[in-house]
Amino acid sequence: MPDFDNIAKRYPGAGTLVKGIQLLELIGEAQAPCTSAHLLRETGLPKATLYRLLGALVEFGYLKHDNAAKTYSLGKRFIELGRSSLSSFDLRSAAEHELSRLSAELGQTVSLTVLEGDEIIYVDVRRPQNPLAVGVDVGRSVPAAESASGRAMMAAMAPHEMSRFITSYDRDTQHSILSEIAISRARGYSIAESGSVPGLIVVAVEVHGPPGMGRGAIAVTAHESALGLEQRHIVGRDLMESARRVMGNIGTASVSISPNPRRHSHIAETLECVDAAGAIVGEGPVWDARENLLRWVDIAAPATRIFDPAGARSAMHPSPRLVSAVLPASDGTMMAVTQNGLERLGPSGDLDPIHDPEAHLPSNRFNDAKCDSSGRVWAGTMSLDASMPSGSLYRFDTPTSSRAVDGGFQVSNGLGWSADDRTFYFTDSGLGTVFAYDYDAAEGAITGRRVFLTVDPRDGKPDGLSVDAEGNVWIAFWDGWRVAGYTPGGRLIREIDMPVPRPTSCCFGGPDLTTLYITSASIRLPAQVLSEAPLSGGLFAIEMDIPGLPTREVAV
């Protein structure tokens, strides 16, 4: 607290003002409303002077007097002045309309928070007429690392910026925070339980202006019962749209997340949605011939999933971190590729780390993965927000040893081998390119990288792929509304039109490997697109004329 006596001496004639400020400081920093007796002891002021100052401050609304308890606390005038001051803050001004619109449409409390030091502060709150809506106070502050808003902001930071917020926490807490931030960065929004009030869920998206303006977040706070699991992700997408509008209002270039327009309304007659899972980023389908099951993942939920075609049954096991692929192992177990590298996957979705060659790169994660004919795992990495060409292609010679065999990729994605095992395919969705390499199956060596297929962004981006028994390459096109097949020479032979804009990957399965299973994503799709494509995030199946290649198992 300032030295009020020295300040009063330095500014003759301002003594009364200084005493009034001293009172405000004392009351503002107190853990509970203050009695006049406490204030007399702390200030040493004459009783008459104290009561005159308290009376004036109450009159102007700077203090609130509780007649029954005979105590003083800060008055609403501080909040009014704070809001008035913040009205000149571009971030708040730009967000006003979106906060009001979201609150009215969602029927929940919507807030704007800003980062101040190591804390986030609620600078604007819109609470709807809904009597069950959560109350949030303007001016409330929370440690950034302990709030959904703060973690949404941290997810948008460079690793060196973000690290200062978590250094004071123990190692396990740091690991938990970093895992949640990785998930938030990958999907674009944060979902967390309230750290201060049990039973509340907070969904938040980062907003920012030009350099120097600082960081903020738009957050929806609601009771768990009011926001089911699926609804939380819908709110996240709505917040992302609002954040883009806010950033557009203050001159920050916003990134469009809308897919390409649907080419036509045709859908393959034999295509069926076998599991309307509503996955955020459905990916990594693999046929488990041992159990006659289709295994796949939801990267951004995150979770591992199972589909049993015999009984059309499905199951989901939530994952504590981003999981991008599951792979059968030769010992009858399952492996998973996660943001922490290769891990053993338990029956209930639990993970046990094995090897992470990019532990030194916290802003990267693994994406798609497959096994070669010798049981080696091949997997690509990418930056969490797909913003930089920091991805590499790894070959795991054993589950505990790996090496990078190529690099400089933006969005490492689909991979596979030709039917004769002499060509390896690997996709960089960021470049819109599928590469082909000469492949030495005995050594696991790739050479002679060349372009197999380049796609105009207007036609979507190549994502996951699978190869059939005749060597044709089947590719899912993100934002392309289709899966397409190409001969080994790169000639288009068939297009499977989809009812969803973001098919993500495909694999051959079923007893005779003639069923092509196709995963899809619903992430970041605006509401109007979801209304046109309500099966986004679903698992699809279609019967094919040519079977696929058997699933290879990890050698352990």
Side-chain angles (χ1 to χ4, degrees), residues 270-503:
T270 56
L271 181 72
E272 179 185 3
C273 181
V274 293
D275 186 0
I280 309 306
V281 182
E283 260 283 9
V286 61
W287 180 253
D288 185 347
R290 303 169 306 192
E291 303 288 339
N292 287 319
L293 297 172
L294 191 284
R295 299 182 183 271
W296 56 302
V297 303
D298 187 339
I299 294 178
T304 54
R305 289 179 171 271
I306 296 171
F307 174 71
D308 178 2
R313 295 186 299 269
S314 61
M316 178 188 73
H317 298 295
S319 171
R321 44 192 169 269
L322 291 169
V323 56
S324 54
V326 289
L327 304 168
S330 59
D331 63 355
T333 64
M334 295 295 299
M335 299 285 188
V337 177
T338 78
Q339 69 191 65
N340 291 350
L342 189 63
E343 305 196 48
R344 192 169 294 279
L345 177 66
S348 299
D350 50 301
L351 296 167
D352 185 13
I354 299 174
H355 176 52
D356 183 4
E358 289 203 347
H360 61 294
L361 295 174
S363 60
N364 265 21
R365 71 169 176 88
F366 276 88
N367 201 28
D368 209 349
K370 295 275 179 70
C371 269
D372 67 14
S373 55
S374 297
R376 293 173 288 234
V377 177
W378 292 68
T381 62
M382 57 180 283
S383 65
L384 284 167
D385 58 2
S387 62
M388 298 178 292
S390 60
S392 297
L393 173 63
Y394 285 88
R395 184 188 72 218
F396 289 73
D397 294 313
T398 70
T400 58
S401 65
S402 64
R403 66 176 63 189
V405 295
D406 204 354
F409 301 107
Q410 185 172 343
V411 182
S412 297
N413 229 313
L415 30 71
W417 291 263
S418 61
D420 61 9
D421 222 14
R422 298 175 62 181
T423 302
F424 172 68
Y425 300 100
F426 184 63
T427 302
D428 186 336
S429 298
L431 298 178
T433 300
V434 180
F435 295 104
Y437 299 77
D438 296 322
Y439 184 66
D440 183 330
E443 300 295 327
I446 54 173
T447 56
R449 184 171 87 176
R450 57 197 178 273
V451 173
F452 172 73
L453 182 71
T454 299
V455 183
D456 189 310
R458 292 173 295 184
D459 295 324
K461 295 183 178 182
D463 201 324
L465 62 82
S466 189
V467 182
D468 69 24
E470 292 185 1
N472 301 308
V473 183
W474 296 88
I475 304 170
F477 285 89
W478 177 280
D479 283 348
W481 300 82
R482 72 192 191 285
V483 173
Y486 297 84
T487 66
R491 178 175 60 84
L492 176 67
I493 54 174
R494 182 181 177 184
E495 290 185 316
I496 301 171
D497 292 307
M498 302 287 296
V500 294
R502 290 180 174 164

Side-chain angles (χ1 to χ4, degrees), residues 23-288:
L23 281 172
L24 295 174
E25 291 273 350
L26 281 168
I27 294 170
E29 293 185 1
Q31 297 299 312
C34 298
T35 63
S36 57
H38 172 77
L39 295 173
L40 279 170
R41 286 196 307 270
E42 293 296 320
T43 63
L45 292 172
K47 184 179 291 187
T49 302
L50 174 69
Y51 281 111
R52 282 198 300 270
L53 288 171
L54 289 173
L57 291 170
V58 169
E59 186 75 21
F60 281 105
Y62 291 101
L63 293 181
K64 180 173 63 176
H65 183 218
D66 186 330
N67 288 315
K70 300 187 183 307
T71 56
Y72 294 87
S73 56
L74 293 182
K76 66 177 183 178
R77 184 62 178 154
F78 278 103
I79 296 176
E80 293 170 352
L81 289 176
R83 294 185 68 150
S84 175
S85 170
L86 287 167
S87 66
S88 61
F89 178 37
D90 285 347
L91 198 56
R92 181 183 180 275
S93 300
E96 284 182 321
H97 174 74
E98 287 302 314
L99 298 185
S100 297
R101 182 188 67 80
L102 283 168
S103 181
E105 290 184 1
L106 299 175
Q108 303 296 342
T109 300
V110 182
S111 311
L112 176 69
T113 63
V114 296
L115 186 64
E116 289 288 344
D118 292 340
E119 296 185 321
I120 60 104
I121 300 175
Y122 286 81
V123 298
D124 200 355
V125 177
R126 304 301 166 95
R127 186 178 180 186
Q129 295 298 315
N130 175 10
L132 298 180
V134 178
V136 178
D137 295 328
V138 170
R140 175 175 174 242
S141 60
V142 184
E146 298 175 18
S147 71
S149 291
R151 294 182 185 186
M153 297 181 209
M154 292 162 65
M157 296 177 184
H160 71 277
E161 291 181 275
M162 180 263 294
S163 62
R164 73 178 178 89
F165 294 93
I166 64 173
T167 53
S168 63
Y169 296 91
D170 62 60
R171 184 166 183 172
D172 288 344
T173 304
Q174 288 188 28
H175 189 269
S176 175
I177 292 172
L178 288 172
S179 291
E180 184 180 320
I181 287 173
I183 295 170
S184 300
R185 192 166 185 175
R187 67 187 172 202
Y189 50 90
S190 175
I191 301 175
E193 296 179 359
S194 170
S196 55
V197 182
L200 297 185
I201 290 293
V202 183
V203 186
V205 170
E206 186 259 3
V207 291
H208 63 271
M213 180 176 286
R215 296 182 183 274
I218 301 175
V220 172
T221 305
H223 295 284
E224 284 182 325
S225 58
L227 282 185
L229 293 176
E230 183 177 350
Q231 185 65 23
R232 294 168 198 177
H233 294 290
I234 294 173
V235 168
R237 291 193 290 268
D238 288 344
L239 287 180
M240 291 185 69
E241 274 196 272
S242 292
R244 288 198 310 278
R245 294 191 190 101
V246 171
M247 290 187 285
N249 290 342
I250 53 181
T252 305
S254 57
V255 179
S256 172
I257 60 172
S258 296
N260 295 323
R262 191 169 185 170
R263 300 184 304 165
H264 45 68
S265 59
H266 173 265
I267 299 173
E269 288 184 9
T270 56
L271 181 72
E272 179 185 3
C273 181
V274 293
D275 186 0
I280 309 306
V281 182
E283 260 283 9
V286 61
W287 180 253
D288 185 347

Side-chain angles (χ1 to χ4, degrees), residues 7-15:
I7 293 173
K9 289 176 183 177
R10 291 202 306 270
Y11 299 98

Side-chain angles (χ1 to χ4, degrees), residues 418-419 466-474 485-488 491 493-494 496 506-517 542-550:
S418 61
S466 189
V467 182
D468 69 24
E470 292 185 1
N472 301 308
V473 183
W474 296 88
Y486 297 84
T487 66
R491 178 175 60 84
I493 54 174
R494 182 181 177 184
I496 301 171
C506 56
C507 81
F508 288 87
D512 54 5
L513 297 177
T514 56
T515 302
L516 186 68
Y517 288 99
I542 187 170
E543 291 303 309
M544 305 293 284
D545 297 328
I546 302 168
L549 299 171

